[in-house]
Amino acid sequence: MEAAGAGAAAPGGAAGLLLRLRDKLLTWQILKTVALGQMLSLFICGTAVTSQYLAEQYEVNTPMLQSFTNYCLLLLVYTTMLALRTDNESFLQILKRRWWKYILLGLADVEANYMIVKAYQYTTLTSVQLLDCFGIPVLMALSWFILRARYRLIHFIAVAVCLLGVGTMVGADILAGRQEGEDSRRDVEVTGCSSTCTSCPAKRSNVVIGDVLVLLGASLYAISNVSEEYIVKNLSRVEFLGMVGLFGTIISALQLAIVEYRDIARIQWNWKIALLFMAFALCMFGLYSFMPVVIKVTSATSVNLGILTADLYSLFFGLFLFCYKFSGLYILSFIVIMVGFVLYCSTSTWTAETVSTSLPQPASTGLDNLGLKLEEDDQEPPAASVQVTQEENGVVNSS
């Protein structure tokens, strides 16, 4: 009888564990975070598809011009909103106090976009996909030192699972033959000619240059994302987008006049090309507009893990638009990435207590994933939290 009772209790214990896992991983806040992350991935997918369509169908190779249109939209919308402020944090006051910081931030954002695109000229799609993930550990390190974020073991495991999913995706690209075809398309996008053209310098002859460009671009993205998280949590989303729009427009305009004026002059404008440029600009504008919203309720690291699926969405569109070959490993890689993303979001990070620092910490909570705070209140509290005082709030207003 005792043995039978023990045998009957075992399924109950397993069922209880599954119920606890379900309650932990399938909460409304986590599902909302996953949905927001995939919305950002779809915006990125839109920019990739429109860029590739411009390159393949119309031989338009102007990534800096495309970025310039996005910065112009940010300038028209958010810089205008910032200029209409009349409080202590007005447009002129912000420029007076932090102009040089936003110049550096705008430069990092513009050059990160340019370096990643430029890297395709020298290295392979596989290298770009793998080395671009270098930005995630850089982002975590910067968050550790600058934002005082502290991670638990589950976060490192989740990041490893997400990177495993990226590796699966790269393997699927190689097995499906996408590697060779995509490299040829990138030659058209970056240089304006095919990989068999003999009049151009040898393409990707120096792989080291391409790999270094990817690493630098990923690092600059990490710097931009950490700055974005700090600004939207301590200052305002409108200030971040308005300043990036202002200085991003100026920097990208100067750079496209230097490096892309010949490519722009060769464009045979028609309504289809104009429509593709508009679609790219709207997708990029949507990405820049909504990313601060998602970062504010989660963190820059979780957002970057969530958008690892953007390449897979681009692939699914490519099955119909660019005749990509399908592989079941793409579905597996998507599942693995999503599992890692959910694992990361399932447990909140915490912010280390600071005794003295010139950087004000987020005034709302010591947790990165704000939506999880209520759920964790009934569980064990974080090991440390930020104590916000009147003096710290004074630092925020005067920085």
Side-chain angles (χ1 to χ4, degrees), residues 159-206:
V159 170
V161 171
C162 287
L163 297 182
L164 178 63
V166 174
T168 305
M169 177 179 62
V170 171
D173 283 341
I174 295 174
L175 292 177
R178 184 182 171 212
Q179 168 71 36
E180 181 179 353
E182 187 73 7
D183 289 342
S184 177
R185 282 188 287 271
R186 290 299 181 182
D187 288 340
V188 175
E189 181 178 346
V190 176
T191 65
C193 60
S194 68
S195 58
T196 58
C197 177
T198 58
S199 62
C200 299
K203 298 176 179 65
R204 298 182 303 278
S205 60
N206 195 344

Side-chain angles (χ1 to χ4, degrees), residues 74-319:
L74 294 176
L75 175 69
L76 291 174
V77 176
Y78 294 105
T79 308
T80 302
M81 293 173 60
L82 202 59
L84 295 177
R85 278 187 178 180
T86 57
D87 55 12
N88 292 333
E89 290 297 315
S90 64
F91 179 70
L92 293 179
Q93 289 294 330
I94 293 172
L95 282 179
K96 181 179 178 180
R97 296 172 182 173
R98 297 184 281 271
W99 63 271
W100 64 272
K101 297 178 183 178
Y102 284 115
I103 289 179
L104 294 178
L105 176 58
L107 184 64
D109 196 74
V110 171
E111 297 308 322
N113 288 314
Y114 181 75
M115 285 183 180
I116 294 296
V117 174
K118 190 68 174 177
Y120 285 106
Q121 183 176 350
Y122 301 98
T123 191
T124 62
L125 173 66
T126 300
S127 295
V128 172
Q129 288 176 320
L130 290 175
L131 294 177
D132 193 33
C133 296
F134 176 72
I136 293 176
V138 173
L139 181 57
M140 295 179 73
L142 291 174
S143 297
W144 180 285
F145 290 107
I146 297 177
L147 303 179
R148 311 287 295 180
R150 296 296 180 263
Y151 303 97
R152 296 182 170 92
L153 178 61
I154 187 65
H155 296 117
F156 296 104
I157 295 175
V159 170
V161 171
C162 287
L163 297 182
L164 178 63
V166 174
T168 305
M169 177 179 62
V170 171
D173 283 341
I174 295 174
L175 292 177
R178 184 182 171 212
Q179 168 71 36
E180 181 179 353
E182 187 73 7
D183 289 342
S184 177
R185 282 188 287 271
R186 290 299 181 182
D187 288 340
V188 175
E189 181 178 346
V190 176
T191 65
C193 60
S194 68
S195 58
T196 58
C197 177
T198 58
S199 62
C200 299
K203 298 176 179 65
R204 298 182 303 278
S205 60
N206 195 344
V207 177
V208 175
I209 294 178
D211 292 345
V212 169
L213 286 173
V214 177
L215 295 175
L216 288 175
S219 300
L220 289 175
Y221 272 133
I223 293 172
S224 177
N225 288 159
V226 168
S227 302
E228 181 175 1
E229 180 175 354
Y230 173 77
I231 294 169
V232 299
K233 288 185 176 180
N234 292 280
L235 301 172
S236 77
R237 166 178 171 266
V238 173
E239 178 175 335
F240 169 77
L241 293 173
M243 290 293 101
V244 168
L246 174 63
F247 293 108
T249 299
I250 296 172
I251 294 170
S252 61
L254 293 174
Q255 189 159 338
L256 73 87
I258 296 172
V259 302
E260 286 188 356
Y261 65 94
R262 290 191 181 93
D263 295 320
I264 295 173
R266 285 198 296 264
I267 297 177
Q268 302 294 321
W269 289 97
N270 57 52
W271 68 270
K272 293 181 180 179
I273 292 179
L275 188 62
L276 287 170
F277 266 91
M278 186 180 301
F280 175 91
L282 291 176
C283 287
M284 188 68 83
F285 179 78
L287 174 65
Y288 272 70
S289 296
F290 283 101
M291 183 174 283
V293 176
V294 184
I295 286 179
K296 188 168 185 177
V297 298
T298 58
S299 67
T301 303
S302 63
V303 167
N304 276 265
L305 293 175
I307 62 178
L308 289 175
T309 57
D311 284 340
L312 291 167
Y313 290 127
S314 300
L315 165 76
F316 295 145
F317 279 98
L319 294 174

Side-chain angles (χ1 to χ4, degrees), residues 339-359:
V339 168
F341 183 41
V342 171
L343 282 177
Y344 187 93
C345 295
S346 66
T347 304
S348 302
T349 59
W350 52 277
T351 305
E353 185 175 358
T354 57
V355 178
S356 172
T357 178
S358 60
L359 294 180

